[in-house]
Amino acid sequence: MQEVDADLTALDRAIINAFQGGFPVAERPFDAAAAALRERGVDVTGPELCERVRELDEEGILSRFGALVNAEEIGGAASLVAMHAPEDRYEEIAETVNEFTAVAHNYEREHPHLNMWFVVSVADHPDPDKDGSDRVEEVLAEIEAATGQETYNLPKLREFHVGAKFLVDGPVPEGDVDLSELGPEVAPSDRGTLTPDERDLVVEIQGGLPVTETPYADVAAAIGADVDWVIETIKRFEREGKVRRVGVIPNHYALGYTENGMTVWNVPEEVLDEVGPAVAALDFVTHCYERPRHAGVWEYNFFAMTHGRTEAESERRIAEVRELMDEHWDVGADDWDTLFSTRILKKTGIRIADRADSNTA
């Protein structure tokens, strides 16, 4: 558990720990959430809880409140891409890459060769004989032509874990409140596409929910839908994976988690099935994937993102990942690396609306 830079009350800490997922999808969710906190010794009413979440959001302690939409399940495709940018052209190349609307995030990272890392997010390909991955390749060809630099596409081959939780010292230290079963019973659908009404809902909630005592009713009013349908559909989206979780999303920088290290590993194929779940189970690993190698340039096939408050803490956590890896194979000095981010070059949201539009039928 971490002390934080922000001046947080016990209630603030309870909110951050309890509701990074599992927030109720019901007509008056703050009443149920407040009742759960009272059971854990935190004296708060529904209106008081709603007001404090709104204040935390406005103060920047929270990035937002609401449903975390899983763009991958909405439509289109996304991929992590690495590039070498020569030092004397770095700023020029970064500016050129960032001008592409398909580039959602771009980071400068510490690596002797691949020092620029960005995410390309695209809608489904307009050609019915092609898919989103084909469109990613087209965008990368355009970036290479514009910059004169080769790109290395590193799409996700397998997801072992995505679930960044940043817990703080205080009430509900395990962050184990889960009220996602409240509300109506729903069953997943077998459709791969969105209806026009579902598309409107996705676009409305992608940036967060209104921080009011009746957020789902407010969403329903905004899109001209019935509130029961909104609640049922968001709950179904959770079951289908279109929504990863509903709750508060902390600004981890405000909580003091300023160090992030992208650890990369050359894991033997025969132990990958064991290593993936084992590393994903570490509570400080927020993302964990298998990605392709690029012979002669990039020999790593396993990515695990860690976060910490200090460089020393990050180093300890990376060492813990290394120790776990050693339990599965003899890790050599050249079998792994850590790429710390040194600068955010671009950070915009994934363009959910475009991806939802292309997958609406």
Side-chain angles (χ1 to χ4, degrees):
M1 224 52 57
Q2 299 299 319
E3 291 297 328
V4 300
D5 295 336
D7 184 16
L8 302 178
T9 67
L11 175 58
D12 298 341
R13 293 165 185 264
I15 291 169
I16 290 167
N17 285 347
F19 296 122
Q20 291 182 46
F23 198 79
V25 183
E27 191 163 355
R28 297 187 65 86
F30 283 97
D31 291 345
L37 289 185
R38 290 196 298 273
E39 291 175 359
R40 291 160 175 81
V42 181
D43 188 18
V44 65
T45 67
E48 290 168 344
L49 179 60
C50 177
E51 180 180 5
R52 191 54 192 150
V53 169
R54 185 186 308 116
E55 291 169 348
L56 290 173
D57 187 42
E58 292 171 350
E59 293 166 6
I61 305 301
L62 303 180
S63 295
R64 61 190 175 91
F65 160 75
L68 184 60
V69 175
N70 183 0
E72 182 179 335
E73 294 296 326
I74 296 301
S79 190
L80 179 66
V81 182
M83 172 190 277
H84 170 67
E87 186 175 346
D88 61 348
R89 295 185 58 219
Y90 198 93
E91 302 305 322
E92 167 211 335
I93 290 173
E95 184 175 342
T96 300
V97 170
N98 291 346
E99 286 175 352
F100 283 81
T101 56
V103 173
H105 311 302
N106 191 3
Y107 288 82
E108 179 179 27
R109 289 192 178 274
E110 295 176 341
H111 187 268
H113 184 63
L114 299 180
N115 54 4
M116 187 177 294
W117 292 75
F118 53 91
V119 173
V120 169
S121 172
V122 298
D124 287 326
H125 201 288
D127 184 338
D129 294 327
K130 297 183 178 181
D131 59 20
S133 62
D134 295 310
R135 180 60 190 136
V136 169
E137 292 292 350
E138 290 174 358
V139 171
L140 296 186
E142 293 168 9
I143 290 175
E144 290 182 351
T147 62
Q149 297 298 123
E150 188 171 0
T151 61
Y152 298 93
N153 191 11
L154 296 162
K156 178 172 58 178
L157 300 180
R158 192 166 15 162
E159 176 184 300
F160 291 105
H161 177 67
V162 175
K165 276 197 173 185
F166 299 96
L167 302 179
V168 296
D169 184 41
V172 202
E174 302 302 320
D176 56 353
V177 178
D178 185 359
L179 305 177
S180 60
E181 293 303 318
L182 296 180
E185 291 290 329
V186 296
S189 74
D190 57 2
R191 286 184 290 106
T193 58
L194 301 173
T195 67
D197 288 342
E198 289 171 346
R199 178 266 177 206
D200 291 346
L201 176 61
V202 167
V203 172
E204 181 66 26
I205 68 174
Q206 65 171 322
L209 294 171
V211 191
T212 67
E213 294 180 48
T214 56
Y216 307 109
D218 293 341
V219 167
I223 63 174
D226 179 76
V227 62
D228 291 336
W229 178 84
V230 166
I231 289 171
E232 291 169 5
T233 304
I234 292 176
K235 283 186 68 69
R236 177 166 54 80
F237 280 178
E238 277 193 284
R239 300 290 188 273
E240 295 170 349
K242 292 182 177 68
V243 166
R244 290 190 181 274
R245 61 184 184 273
V246 179
V248 300
I249 300 175
N251 175 354
H252 61 275
Y253 293 105
L255 300 185
Y257 288 89
T258 56
E259 299 291 324
N260 73 82
M262 187 172 72
T263 67
V264 293
W265 308 81
N266 183 10
V267 178
E269 301 298 330
E270 62 270 19
V271 299
L272 194 56
D273 288 345
E274 299 173 4
V275 166
V279 173
L282 297 172
D283 60 8
F284 55 81
V285 171
T286 58
H287 302 77
C288 190
Y289 306 111
E290 177 189 4
R291 298 187 185 275
R293 300 179 176 92
H294 286 268
V297 178
W298 186 255
E299 301 299 333
Y300 307 110
N301 63 336
F302 187 86
F303 288 60
M305 181 69 74
T306 67
H307 290 263
R309 279 178 46 84
T310 65
E311 186 175 342
E313 181 177 70
S314 288
E315 294 292 348
R316 288 195 301 272
R317 291 179 166 183
I318 292 166
E320 189 171 338
V321 177
R322 166 69 188 269
E323 291 171 6
L324 190 152
M325 290 285 191
D326 267 326
E327 295 176 9
H328 295 273
W329 98 97
D330 185 15
V331 182
D334 295 332
D335 287 335
W336 70 287
D337 199 358
T338 302
L339 281 65
F340 287 103
S341 63
T342 54
R343 189 164 36 134
I344 299 174
L345 303 171
K346 180 180 183 180
K347 190 167 186 178
T348 60
I350 299 291
R351 294 161 63 227
I352 297 287
D354 289 350
R355 294 174 66 164
D357 285 344
S358 70
N359 193 37
T360 298

